[in-house]
């Protein structure tokens, strides 16, 4: 059995043969990972080679945090949240662009502090910046690496001193990608393979080996594993320090004892070696390939060129599909036990649209007294829970939050909405008042002057150029329009900015009252208190497709349900009257307390779910063509098609809300 080299498949085959007691010789050897410090040094070099980007900083931070290096202590979720926040504030991928936003770690942050991820980001930036320039010398790159290795107490591998000798003979500056490749060559990606001691000195009919070791020996049967594209034969790249042209020139000069092989020569020899092996066996030969990536089962793999030609010769018009169909007919690796069969039936029932949700589908034990409730209910959580009860189950009851590991992507509309909220809060905040304190409402002209000053400060923090000029122009138009509409709606001479709902706020539905917690953009009142006041809640929306407030639409598809929940919670504080406003750049719409029974008519099914402990799910399918991405279930859960979920929900609870998962998400 021939493998391209040591790896997971070779290790699994060797272990499987040993477990079955099959005699075999393993000549491939065991490939071990290099020491931790070598792996970390490789991550640091790759970070610099990619231009000191935030995406590579996330990977490097996770490796350093895993091994308790550099004093990093934040959780991944906290660190990622802060990186996302800083990235959306600057919309630049470079770590240097957001370094100014991270606070000084000397200020003293604790593990539960919201700025703990910011402190870790600052530590990384201080140690790793400035990044490599576009071109630099080998000596400069090696010196930077030695400095960071000494700072974090990372040992350099043996043989690294040879790089210094090479650097003294090559003082010129080279592109940083080329210098990085050279440094990585001195930081091995895998340790030297060690030969297995399986049945040494004894005869075995099965030999696990590599192509080079197999060449020149007679074989009765031969199996070439990993016959996938990219595994073998491999594409050979030129050596950047001694290219093919230089090798040919040295060969023509005759100064070497043996000719130097070019990249094309190496590829020809590899292909010739495989061809010779396939031609020799007298009893049989076979090629083995994977239909999909083991780490990513949804990612199909293609056959390599020899296997592709073999499949074509057998009449297969689509070799990649032939791999998938062949893998589907393989027998199971292990016999199915009774326990596995039971859960297989449960899994099949969960995907059957003709069956209601079973007692294992997002359900609490009904014998538990009392049934646990979500630890905190915010208006937005109730809105998302009505759209998809699974979010209330995972986030509210199990306290599970999805962790984003996607690449950072610029979202100007999201940034524009966040910055607009901040600038409006700054312009309308009464003098001498903090967030959450009542104060007198400024005259409109004073608020406009404060807004213009805040806009000027915001523009000075961005890079120069037409790109940011255009984006800032859109931000100015949005902020001025929202400010004008705020003064044209509602009544009262007192305001409270960025206010959390008081602890006494409650949502009342029939005979059940539950506490709610959330933060409002701004509230306007005729007196500086809640009791007996005429209150106007105001919520800014920057989206271009926002619908006007309508009680019937809220009950039908949960559009802006959170605003109705805010209004009902404020009513429980003893106000004389209350109205909630949704303000966009184009219009303002309102919802009064008289319309609340209609607007909250869709909540009873969700309340019943919390009472009975049976939640169900309405999770939309992911849309490959863009649009709104639904909340993702944990990786250990098998997703059920959205169409099946809606039918099962109707069988279990009655009709499901009419939600369009591809609408633009509301501002939060």
């Amino acid at each position: 059995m021939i493998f391209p080299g040591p790896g997971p498949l070779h290790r699994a085959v060797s272990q499987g043969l040993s477990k079955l007691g099959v005699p075999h010789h393993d000549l491939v050897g065991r490939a071990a990972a290099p020491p931790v410090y070598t792996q970390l040094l490789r991550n640091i070099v790759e970070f610099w080679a990619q231009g000191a980007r935030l995406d590579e900083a996330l990977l490097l931070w996770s490796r350093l945090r895993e091994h308790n290096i550099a004093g990093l202590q934040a959780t991944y979720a906290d660190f990622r949240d802060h990186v996302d926040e800083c990235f959306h504030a600057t919309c630049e991928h470079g770590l240097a662009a957001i370094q100014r936003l991270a606070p000084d770690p000397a200020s003293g942050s604790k593990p539960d502090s919201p700025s703990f991820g910011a402190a870790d980001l600052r530590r990384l930036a201080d140690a790793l910046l400035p990044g490599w320039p576009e071109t630099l010398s080998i000596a400069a790159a090696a010196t930077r690496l030695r400095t960071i290795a000494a700072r974090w107490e990372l040992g350099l591998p043996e043989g690294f001193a040879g790089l210094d000798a090479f650097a003294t003979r090559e003082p010129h500056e080279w592109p940083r990608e080329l210098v990085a490749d050279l440094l990585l060559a001195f930081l091995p990606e895998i340790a030297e393979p060690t030969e297995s001691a399986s049945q040494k000195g004894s005869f075995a009919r099965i030999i696990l080996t590599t192509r080079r070791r197999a060449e020149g020996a007679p074989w009765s049967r031969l199996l070439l594993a990993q016959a996938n594209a990219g595994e073998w034969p491999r594409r050979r790249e030129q050596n950047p320090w001694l290219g093919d042209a230089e090798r040919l020139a040295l060969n023509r000069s005759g100064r070497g004892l043996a000719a130097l092989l070019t990249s094309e020569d190496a590829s020809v020899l590899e292909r010739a070696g495989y061809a010779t092996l396939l031609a020799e066996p007298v009893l049989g030969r076979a090629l083995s390939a994977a239909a999909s990536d083991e780490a990513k089962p949804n990612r199909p793999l293609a056959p390599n060129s020899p296997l592709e030609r073999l499949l074509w010769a057998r009449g297969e018009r689509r070799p990649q599909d032939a791999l998938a169909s062949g893998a589907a007919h393989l027998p199971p690796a292990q016999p199915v036990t009774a326990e596995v069969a039971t859960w297989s039936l449960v899994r099949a029932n969960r995907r059957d649209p003709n069956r209601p949700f079973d007692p294992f589908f997002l359900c609490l034990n009904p014998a538990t007294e009392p049934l646990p409730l979500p630890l905190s209910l915010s208006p937005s959580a109730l809105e998302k829970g009505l759209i998809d009860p699974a979010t209330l189950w995972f986030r509210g009851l199990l306290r599970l939050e999805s962790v984003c590991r996607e690449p950072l992507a610029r979202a100007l509309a999201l940034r524009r909405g966040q910055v607009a909220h901040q600038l409006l809060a700054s312009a309308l905040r009464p003098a001498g008042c903090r967030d959450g304190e009542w104060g007198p409402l400024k005259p409109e002209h004073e608020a406009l002057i404060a807004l213009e000053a805040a806009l000027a400060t915001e523009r000075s923090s961005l890079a120069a150029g037409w790109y940011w000029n255009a984006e800032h122009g859109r931000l100015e138009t949005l902020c001025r329009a929202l400010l004008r509409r705020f003064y044209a709606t509602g009544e009262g001479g007192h305001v409270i900015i960025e206010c959390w709902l008081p602890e006494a706020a409650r949502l009342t539905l029939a005979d059940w009252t539950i506490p709610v917690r959330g933060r409002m953009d701004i509230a306007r009142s005729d007196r500086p208190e809640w009791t007996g006041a005429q209150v106007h809640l105001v919520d800014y929306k920057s989206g271009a497709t926002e619908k006007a407030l309508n009680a019937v639409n809220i009950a039908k598809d949960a559009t802006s349900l959170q605003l109705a929940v805010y209004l009902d919670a404020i009513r429980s504080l003893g106000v004389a009257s209350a109205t909630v406003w949704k303000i966009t750049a184009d219009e303002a719409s309102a919802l009064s307390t008289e319309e609340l029974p209609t607007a909250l008519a869709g909540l009873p099914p969700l309340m019943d779910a919390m009472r009975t402990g049976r939640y169900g799910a309405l999770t939309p399918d992911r849309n490959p063509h863009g649009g709104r991405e639904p909340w993702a279930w944990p990786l250990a859960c098998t997703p059920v098609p959205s169409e099946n979920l809606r039918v099962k929900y109707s069988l279990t609870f009655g009709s499901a809300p009419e939600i369009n998962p591809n609408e633009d998400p509301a501002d939060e």
Side-chain angles (χ1 to χ4, degrees):
M1 300 181 67
I2 295 181
F3 297 88
L9 177 61
H10 151 258
R11 182 168 58 252
V13 170
S14 179
Q15 292 174 352
L17 293 174
S18 299
K19 186 177 180 180
L20 294 173
V22 178
H24 67 283
H25 286 320
D26 185 357
L27 304 182
V28 179
R30 295 288 191 269
V36 171
Y37 59 80
T38 303
Q39 300 177 41
L40 293 174
L41 290 174
R42 288 184 62 88
N43 294 141
I44 294 170
V45 171
E46 291 166 352
F47 168 78
W48 282 329
Q50 296 295 330
R53 289 162 39 92
L54 277 173
D55 294 278
E56 284 70 31
L58 282 167
L59 173 62
L60 178 59
W61 176 90
S62 63
R63 298 300 308 276
L64 294 171
R65 179 71 175 86
E66 177 185 359
H67 298 287
N68 196 24
I69 294 175
L72 307 176
Q73 302 179 26
T75 63
Y76 179 86
D78 184 20
F79 186 74
R80 178 62 192 246
D81 286 345
H82 182 73
V83 168
D84 286 341
E85 178 184 344
C86 294
F87 174 74
H88 290 308
T90 61
C91 287
E92 296 186 27
H93 286 273
L95 178 60
I98 67 170
Q99 184 181 13
R100 63 182 182 274
L101 301 177
D104 190 342
S107 59
S109 57
K110 299 180 180 180
D112 57 351
S113 169
S115 62
F116 203 64
D120 279 8
L121 183 62
R122 181 60 178 266
R123 289 189 180 96
L124 271 186
D126 290 345
L128 298 173
L129 294 179
W132 283 357
E134 293 292 336
T135 60
L136 75 164
S137 65
I138 301 172
T143 301
R144 285 291 308 277
L145 190 61
R146 286 185 180 277
T147 302
I148 197 68
R151 179 171 182 170
W152 288 342
E153 300 180 355
L154 304 175
L156 293 170
E158 296 181 6
F160 197 80
L163 180 64
D164 298 330
F166 184 78
T168 57
R169 298 194 300 268
E170 186 55 60
H172 301 91
E173 292 190 351
W174 298 86
R176 66 184 180 205
E177 294 82 4
L178 198 59
V179 175
D181 288 341
L182 178 62
L183 263 65
L184 292 176
F186 286 84
L187 301 170
E189 187 174 6
I190 59 174
E192 288 294 329
T194 58
E195 291 192 7
S196 172
S198 60
Q199 292 86 27
K200 280 192 173 181
S202 60
F203 173 77
R205 293 172 59 86
I206 299 178
I207 307 295
L208 309 184
T209 185
T210 60
R211 173 187 61 84
R212 289 187 178 182
R213 290 187 173 187
E215 288 179 4
W219 303 100
S220 57
R221 294 177 176 85
L222 197 67
L223 171 62
L224 282 80
Q226 296 176 250
N228 288 104
E231 295 289 347
W232 63 267
R234 295 184 178 180
R235 180 181 178 184
R236 304 284 179 168
E237 300 289 345
Q238 292 191 37
N239 188 313
W241 304 101
L242 188 61
D244 289 351
E246 290 82 0
R247 289 169 180 262
L248 292 174
L250 289 173
N251 292 341
R252 287 192 295 268
S253 68
R255 287 182 290 177
L257 297 179
L260 298 175
L261 296 179
T262 64
S263 58
E264 182 62 27
D265 294 336
S267 297
V268 169
L269 287 176
E270 182 184 12
R271 292 194 295 269
Y274 278 115
T276 302
L277 287 172
L278 288 171
E280 287 181 354
V282 295
L283 297 181
R285 61 187 69 85
L287 287 87
S288 169
S292 60
D293 191 339
E294 184 178 5
K296 299 178 180 179
N298 294 328
R299 176 190 173 193
L301 298 179
N304 63 4
S305 53
L307 180 56
E308 190 175 47
R309 291 189 179 94
L310 178 62
L311 293 173
W312 280 339
R314 292 173 50 184
E316 299 287 353
R317 303 186 64 181
R318 299 178 62 87
Q320 188 167 340
D321 294 344
L323 283 185
S325 61
H329 292 89
L330 290 177
Q334 297 179 350
V336 178
T337 62
E339 183 179 0
V340 172
T342 300
W343 281 107
S344 296
L345 180 61
V346 171
R347 180 181 183 275
N349 290 340
R350 288 179 178 177
R351 305 176 71 85
D352 187 353
N354 299 317
R355 292 177 176 267
F357 292 125
D358 59 53
F360 301 99
F361 196 100
L362 310 189
C363 293
L364 295 170
N365 186 352
T368 305
E369 291 290 344
L371 288 177
L373 295 175
L375 297 181
S376 62
L377 282 176
S378 66
S380 63
L382 288 171
E383 179 178 313
K384 294 175 182 177
L386 185 59
I387 295 174
D388 181 10
T391 63
L392 207 56
W393 169 269
F394 286 111
R395 289 177 167 176
L397 278 174
L398 303 185
R399 308 299 294 169
L400 296 178
E401 285 291 341
S402 56
V403 178
C404 179
R405 297 187 182 274
E406 298 297 323
L408 297 172
R410 183 175 292 180
L412 290 181
L414 175 62
R415 178 188 183 278
R416 192 182 312 132
Q418 293 174 342
V419 174
H421 278 68
Q422 297 170 3
L423 297 181
L424 289 170
S426 174
L428 292 170
R429 183 175 293 109
C433 292
R434 295 175 298 180
D435 288 346
E437 293 181 350
W438 288 101
L441 176 63
K442 293 180 181 179
E444 184 175 358
H445 70 277
E446 291 185 11
L448 183 59
I449 293 175
L451 177 62
E452 295 297 337
L455 284 169
T457 303
E458 165 65 18
R459 181 64 189 92
S460 64
S461 66
L462 301 175
W466 290 107
Y467 180 88
W468 288 112
N469 287 342
E471 172 57 24
H472 189 71
R474 290 189 285 268
L475 177 64
E476 288 180 330
T477 302
L478 174 63
C479 290
R480 290 165 184 161
L482 291 177
L483 186 66
R484 285 195 303 269
R485 294 205 174 274
F486 170 76
Y487 277 95
T489 57
E491 298 176 353
H494 300 273
V495 293
I496 187 170
I497 308 293
E498 300 288 343
C499 171
W500 287 92
L501 284 172
E503 294 184 2
R506 296 290 187 273
L507 173 64
T508 303
L509 288 174
D511 59 340
W512 201 19
T513 301
I514 56 175
V516 290
R517 183 72 170 155
R519 190 173 67 173
M520 303 169 288
D521 289 343
I522 185 171
R524 190 172 178 178
S525 172
D526 61 344
R527 61 183 67 183
E529 59 181 345
W530 299 105
T531 305
Q534 296 180 356
V535 179
H536 294 264
L537 303 179
V538 178
D539 188 67
Y540 307 116
K541 297 296 181 182
S542 59
T545 59
E546 288 292 338
K547 298 179 181 179
L549 277 181
N550 183 285
V552 175
N553 289 339
I554 293 176
K556 180 181 178 181
D557 58 12
T559 302
S560 300
L561 173 67
Q562 56 180 305
L563 298 185
V565 175
Y566 274 118
L567 184 60
D568 191 73
I570 290 298
R571 185 175 60 172
S572 69
L573 299 177
V575 299
S577 65
T579 304
V580 63
W581 294 83
K582 184 202 292 192
I583 295 180
T584 67
D586 300 322
E587 63 178 353
S589 55
L591 184 73
S592 64
T593 53
E594 289 76 13
E595 300 174 276
L596 279 179
T598 302
L600 300 178
L603 275 180
L606 191 61
M607 301 298 106
D608 291 341
M610 288 189 284
R611 283 180 174 179
T612 60
R614 197 172 189 180
Y615 285 76
L618 289 168
T619 308
D621 297 326
R622 289 194 172 274
N623 184 3
H625 304 292
R628 180 179 177 180
E629 284 291 342
W631 180 80
W633 284 38
L635 293 177
C637 300
T638 303
V640 180
S642 174
E643 182 179 355
N644 294 3
L645 285 176
R646 298 188 70 81
V647 177
K648 293 171 75 71
Y649 189 93
S650 299
L651 289 175
T652 309
F653 304 107
S655 61
E658 300 177 7
I659 307 298
N660 181 9
N662 294 323
E663 290 181 354
D664 292 334
D667 298 47
E668 297 184 16

